[in-house]
Amino acid sequence: MPHHPVAVAGRRRRAACFIAAVLPVAGACHAETLICHVSYGGETRSLRTGPAASPYTVPVQAIGSYFLFRMVWQKEPADLAAIKVYVFADLDGGAAPIQQITHPYPPPVPARPGYGFTGLNSVYEPVRDGELQYWCELSAAAGRVP
């Protein structure tokens, strides 16, 4: 028996409304979030991200006028699962990598609490003698990744 187009459209609209209402709650339940605490120039920022579908689409974030910071968290495929942290110098000729660290995913549990799975990292500006410090953790806290 054929379905009337108006009835089908109404059911689809109700289903779409239900999905739209439920998904935000489901997505906010217990999403794992990568948080890197970055300190530079007397200011500490907590940068957050979720897993990336492609590492090539993850943007850099400016830290002060010299550093660029990038966090790439890849969960799939399993043989490439890792968390990579990049620090670049923002030079006139373009970004130059000055540090890149790869951590396995899931990361091992830290031996000592306090600086997450990365430990405290320090990166220095060769021109202005500035110091960027950071450490990263995975958080299972409820909430969305911005």
Side-chain angles (χ1 to χ4, degrees):
M1 175 173 174
H3 297 288
H4 191 275
V6 174
V8 171
R11 281 194 297 269
R12 285 185 183 153
R13 188 172 35 251
R14 284 190 301 274
C17 289
F18 175 76
I19 290 170
V22 171
L23 279 182
V25 174
C29 289
H30 292 289
E32 201 172 27
T33 303
L34 173 61
I35 305 170
C36 290
H37 307 275
V38 181
S39 298
Y40 177 73
E43 177 188 357
T44 300
R45 295 169 45 191
S46 295
L47 307 176
R48 299 169 185 272
T49 193
S54 169
Y56 304 107
T57 61
V58 178
V60 297
Q61 298 184 50
I63 308 293
S65 62
Y66 183 79
F67 291 109
L68 298 172
F69 195 83
R70 185 170 180 244
M71 309 172 326
V72 178
W73 175 16
Q74 194 170 357
K75 290 173 98 173
E76 297 175 351
D79 60 329
L80 297 177
I83 297 171
K84 296 181 181 182
V85 179
Y86 301 84
V87 180
F88 300 91
D90 191 6
L91 304 175
D92 292 336
I98 53 178
Q99 184 186 51
Q100 188 271 313
I101 298 177
T102 301
H103 298 276
Y105 179 79
V109 176
R112 289 187 288 177
Y115 292 114
F117 65 87
T118 62
L120 182 63
N121 290 270
S122 298
V123 183
Y124 299 94
E125 289 182 53
V127 177
R128 300 180 198 105
D129 294 328
E131 176 186 58
L132 177 138
Q133 290 188 320
Y134 71 89
W135 62 276
C136 303
E137 63 180 325
L138 279 177
S139 173
R144 285 197 190 289
V145 175

